[in-house]
Amino acid sequence: MSIAVAVGLASGAVHAKVSPEDAARLGQDLTCVGAEVAGNAAGTIPAFTGKYVGEVPGWNLQSHSGSHPVDPYADEEPVLVITAANAQQHAEQLTAGQLAMFEQYPDTFKMNIYPSHRDFAYPQHVCERAKWNALNAEIVDDGMGYSGLGHNPFPIPNNAMEVLWNHQLPYRAWTQTEIRDLASVQRSGEIGWGRVNGVCLSPASSPTGEPRTEDGVSSYCMTEVLLPLRERGNTSVNHEPYNYESAPRVAWTYNTGTRRVRLAPGYGFDQPLGGSNGAMTIDSDRLFNGSPERYNWELVGKKEIYIPANAFGVNSADVKYDDLLTPNHANPEYIRYELRRVWVIKAALKENSRHLYRDRLMYLDEDTWHAVIADFYDNRGNLWKHSFVNYYYHPDMSAWQAGASFYHDLSSGQYVGYTLTQEREKGPVINKGDLEPNFFTPDMLRARGR
C-alpha cells in the first residue's frame, strides 16, 4: 500500500486543498514537489531532468560516513561574470542585497555565473507524501501551524504562508551529526572563530512510516559550543513544533559557569546567535526559522534570478579557510551561481511587534523550496544585511544539504561564514539513523555537564 493511500485511510475524511486535476500535474508538467519541469523561454534555465536519485557522479562516498562532497561540475567555466561594471545591465536578475555588494565592494566582489543544472531528484516516497499533502494539507491557527504530512506541505502553494511553510519543512536530513566552524570576519580581515557540535533529528524525514504532524515535534536539535574557549561546553537543546500556537518552541540551556540546566523561554527570534559576534540572529539560521508570528507575510511572486546552486565545490575538502575567507566577503572564485526560478516572499514586521529586522525578503529555489538568499532591512527601512546559503545534493538522503553560508552586515563591513566544514575531518554525517527523541532532553544536558 502506498503512503498516500495508507495515510488517507488513517485520517478519515479527506478535504481537497487543490483539485485532483491540479494535483495530477505533480510528476507531469510540475516536478513531484511542484517546480515547473520546463525550462524558460529564453533557454537560459533548462528543463528539470532529475536523472540522478541518490547519487552524484564522481562522489563515491561510503554511506553515512561524513564524506566531503565532490563537485560533478568542476570542469565547467563561467558563462557570465557579473562585476560592479556590468551589474546594472543584469539588475533584473539580482537582488537588492547583491546590487549593494557590488556597490560596496566594487574592486573585489563578483559573481561567476555557471550553466544551470536541474539534475537531482527526490526518492519516490517523498513524491508520494507531497502528492498527499497537495490534496489534504492545510494551514491552521492563522499561519502559526500546519496540518498534514511532515514535509513539502504545499507543492502547489496559493499564498505566502504556504510558501513559507515549504521552506520551514523541506525534505531534509532524518538524522545529522556535524562539527562545523563559524568565522566572524572583520573589515580588517581579522577572524574570530566559533565551533559547535550539532546533532539533529527530524522524524518526518525518516524514509519509513507515516509522518503525521499530529506527532507534534518536527525536529530536535542539540548544539554544544566547542569554540570560543570561554563558552566551551555551553549546550542547548530545542524542540521545534509543527504548530507554534498550540506548542511553542521549547529550549533548555546548560551553562558551564553555573553548571545548571535552565528552560529558555522565548528562545529564538532576534536573540544573538552564539559565536556570531552579534552579526546573526537565531532566526536567521537557514535565513528564517521558528514562529512566523511577528511578521505579516506577502507573496511577491516568482522571478528568475542568479542564486547559489549546486554548491559542491565551495563545500569540498579542497577549500582552505585562508583562501575562502577573504576580507569583506568570501572569495568569489569558490561561489557557483546559476540562473534559476525562485519564489519571493516578503515579511513585514507587525505593528506592536519587535524585531531587529523590519522587513525581510526571502528567495526560495523552486526545485527544493529552500530559501537561498535573504535581504534584511533595519527599522528605518534601509537595507542592512545580505545573506545566502550554498546548498548541495547529498546522496545519503537524496536531498539538498545546507552548506557554507555567508551573512554580510552592509553597515559594519563584517561578515560571518557559517556552517563551514571544509577543514573538519568529516562533513555532516547524514541519515545514520542512530538518534531517538529521548536523547534531546534536559536530563541529557545534566548528564553531559557532569
Side-chain angles (χ1 to χ4, degrees), residues 16-32 34 130-131 134-135 155-158:
K17 302 309 174 188
V18 301
S19 69
E21 291 76 17
D22 282 342
R25 296 175 59 198
L26 298 172
Q28 300 299 318
D29 67 305
L30 301 178
T31 70
C32 75
K131 183 73 169 290
L135 292 164
I156 306 176
N158 295 301

Side-chain angles (χ1 to χ4, degrees), residues 22-39 46-51 118-124 126-128 130-131 134 152 154-157 302 340-341 343 365-369 400:
D22 282 342
R25 296 175 59 198
L26 298 172
Q28 300 299 318
D29 67 305
L30 301 178
T31 70
C32 75
V33 295
E36 298 173 52
V37 169
F48 178 80
T49 69
K51 59 185 177 182
R118 304 174 67 201
D119 294 335
F120 300 97
Y122 293 104
Q124 186 58 31
V126 176
C127 299
E128 291 181 353
K131 183 73 169 290
N152 293 310
F154 302 103
I156 306 176
K302 288 185 81 171
R340 299 173 75 94
R341 285 184 292 248
W343 291 86
D365 175 44
E366 72 162 343
D367 285 346
T368 66
W369 293 110
W400 297 88

Side-chain angles (χ1 to χ4, degrees), residues 22 75 82 86 100 130 142 146 166 221 238 294 335 356 373 378 429:
D22 282 342
D75 293 336
I82 303 177
N86 63 359
D142 197 27
Y146 147 68
N166 284 344
C221 279
N238 72 280
R294 296 191 180 184
I335 311 299
L356 287 174
I373 297 175
D378 66 19
V429 178

Side-chain angles (χ1 to χ4, degrees), residues 366-395:
E366 72 162 343
D367 285 346
T368 66
W369 293 110
H370 289 298
V372 289
I373 297 175
D375 292 336
F376 303 89
Y377 294 76
D378 66 19
N379 281 307
R380 293 172 296 176
N382 298 322
L383 179 62
W384 183 7
K385 298 182 181 180
H386 167 67
S387 306
F388 60 92
V389 182
N390 293 278
Y391 282 91
Y392 59 98
Y393 187 84
H394 202 299

Side-chain angles (χ1 to χ4, degrees), residues 173-354:
W174 166 35
T175 62
Q176 177 175 339
T177 303
E178 176 183 54
I179 294 178
R180 58 181 183 268
D181 291 321
L182 186 155
S184 178
V185 186
Q186 304 302 304
R187 188 188 291 270
S188 64
E190 183 181 356
I191 298 177
W193 286 100
R195 181 175 299 161
V196 299
N197 175 24
V199 181
C200 288
L201 167 66
S202 298
S205 291
S206 169
T208 61
E210 299 173 2
R212 299 286 306 181
T213 55
E214 285 81 353
D215 291 346
V217 178
S218 67
S219 65
Y220 305 82
C221 279
M222 184 278 290
T223 305
E224 176 187 15
V225 177
L226 304 178
L227 287 177
L229 290 176
R230 65 179 181 277
E231 299 177 17
R232 184 165 189 155
N234 290 346
T235 307
S236 63
V237 162
N238 72 280
H239 297 181
E240 203 70 37
Y242 284 111
N243 187 328
Y244 295 93
E245 179 70 24
S246 60
R249 171 190 278 169
V250 180
W252 299 268
T253 60
Y254 171 79
N255 183 284
T256 56
T258 63
R259 297 177 65 84
R260 297 186 65 178
V261 174
R262 296 180 183 274
L263 188 65
Y267 179 83
F269 301 106
D270 55 359
Q271 295 175 15
L273 183 77
S276 70
N277 200 28
M280 291 177 62
T281 61
I282 290 176
D283 73 358
S284 61
D285 189 352
R286 292 180 58 248
L287 305 181
F288 182 81
N289 67 82
S291 170
E293 67 191 73
R294 296 191 180 184
Y295 290 97
N296 292 312
W297 296 86
E298 173 191 352
L299 178 59
V300 178
K302 288 185 81 171
K303 291 190 67 176
E304 296 178 4
I305 67 168
Y306 295 109
I307 65 172
N310 288 305
F312 300 92
V314 69
N315 291 295
S316 78
D318 295 333
V319 176
K320 303 304 178 189
Y321 293 157
D322 282 349
D323 299 324
L324 176 66
L325 301 172
T326 49
N328 299 323
H329 51 74
N331 188 336
E333 299 300 340
Y334 290 104
I335 311 299
R336 179 190 179 96
Y337 287 92
E338 297 181 2
L339 184 65
R340 299 173 75 94
R341 285 184 292 248
V342 299
W343 291 86
V344 187
I345 57 175
K346 179 180 179 180
L349 191 62
K350 289 180 178 177
E351 190 175 355
N352 299 323
S353 289
R354 182 192 59 79

